[in-house]
Amino acid sequence: MNTEHQKLRVAVVGGGIGQHHIEAYQQLGDLCEVLAVCDIDTAKARALAAARSIPRVTGDLGELCRMDDLDVIDICTPPHLHFEHIHQVLDSGKHAICEKPLVGSVREVDELLKIEAASGKRIMPIFQYRFGHGLQKLKFLVDQGLAGSAYLTTVETSWRRRAPYYAVPWRGKWQTELGGVLLSHAIHSHDMLTYILGPISSVFARTITRVNAIEVEDCAAVALEMADGSLATLAATLGSTPEITRHRFCFQNLTAESNTAPYANSGDPWSFTGDTPEQAEQIAAALEQFAPLPEGFAGQFFRFAQALAQGTELPVTLADARTALELITALYHSSRTHQRVQLPINHEHPAYTSWLPTSAAEAQ
Ligand SMILES: NC(=O)c1ccc[n+]([C@@H]2O[C@H](COP(=O)([O-])OP(=O)(O)OC[C@H]3O[C@@H](n4cnc5c(N)ncnc54)[C@H](O)[C@@H]3O)[C@@H](O)[C@H]2O)c1
């Protein structure tokens, strides 16, 4: 943090989704300023810097790391580069924010936990969907003890991707995208599930590639047992017209249902239906006390700045990324072995060091 004017001085690497990160930092102008943008496509970086009035441009992450006046480097590069880039950023004495999927295995998350602890700096994975007001209201009700036991949750991530999306060379391939609909798209919806309900105890999954001519999966059907004893189902596809995302949480005292806007379903409106008229009144009274904070990327960066200033836990932690990547590991392992897989995933699990397929048969 710059002690002179107390703003976080940020640089963003990768000018794809990174553009939306820059917009979010600039919405939080009292807390953050974007001093530099970096992309190996320097024409893209220059255009972005000009459009968003960012003073510095580089095509080299190493050069960014040598800028002593930066507090944070936000990594929005393709997935297979994340581990190396996070490591480089922490070595340079800066905090790292990094897009999903954070890294390529549970082992790499465990290595980052050690690197973070030794560095004195922080690593924040991106899960911006958490901060939508609808999901935040559910979290608020659960934290107030108004939901009761969870029974069953259904999560649908039904999006559409067509051939042009896969013209970007890193997409659709195991070695560079590291996964398909489960890793790249539904990871947000599944993080929303564990954000509310906590750990998963076992998974049974089937995945297929059926929509596009790609290596990685584009459809998945999953049954989960949660550690709290409830059940959940996950359905994910890139072959749905129209696109929707939907969460439906059935608790003892209330049922919560999201809206179905595909890329904004954690935001309002959600419905919260009490099981009895008295419970409905309690829910309505509690929601009067709900105090909204910023949503989406701005919501995550706002909470990040607060947590750094106050020395508190980050809004998304390496433990959260571990939960997400343990689930990924278990889902792919279950689909390939046709077995139920128990969590947590530790160093003894055969896919601890990588969930990538090890043979042509596994890649199917
Ligand atoms: N949180 C979300 O909602 C969300 C949405 C889309 C993408 N993502 C994630 O963001 C990441 C990037 O995805 P994208 O869609 O923006 O990809 P993209 O290909 O559109 O953009 C990535 C950019 O990184 C640049 N780049 C590649 N290697 C680099 C390097 N070594 N140094 C500097 N720049 C480099 C590329 O030139 C490109 O401009 C992925 O991990 C993806 O899963 C997250």
Side-chain angles (χ1 to χ4, degrees), residues 16-17 39-40 44 76-77 82 99-100 128 170-171 188:
I17 194 68
D39 199 300
I40 45 168
K44 191 191 242 184
C76 301
T77 52
H82 290 174
E99 262 296 353
K100 58 76 188 162
Q128 84 276 13
W170 63 264
R171 292 200 182 120
H188 290 292

Side-chain angles (χ1 to χ4, degrees), residues 13-19 21 38-42 44 58-61 75-82 84-85 98-102 126-129 159 165 168-171 177 183-185 188 297:
V13 195
I17 194 68
Q19 298 178 41
H21 288 221
C38 169
D39 199 300
I40 45 168
D41 181 343
T42 47
K44 191 191 242 184
T58 172
D60 174 22
L61 176 57
I75 299 159
C76 301
T77 52
H80 64 294
L81 301 174
H82 290 174
E84 178 196 324
H85 285 175
C98 184
E99 262 296 353
K100 58 76 188 162
L102 185 70
I126 288 287
F127 275 133
Q128 84 276 13
Y129 282 67
W159 296 1
Y165 176 80
V168 175
W170 63 264
R171 292 200 182 120
E177 190 170 3
L183 184 71
S184 287
H185 308 88
H188 290 292
F297 290 127

Side-chain angles (χ1 to χ4, degrees), residues 153-176:
T153 306
T154 50
V155 183
E156 290 167 79
T157 313
S158 295
W159 296 1
R160 188 73 177 97
R161 293 292 181 274
R162 298 172 195 271
Y165 176 80
Y166 293 101
V168 175
W170 63 264
R171 292 200 182 120
K173 301 183 182 82
W174 283 110
Q175 287 303 325
T176 47

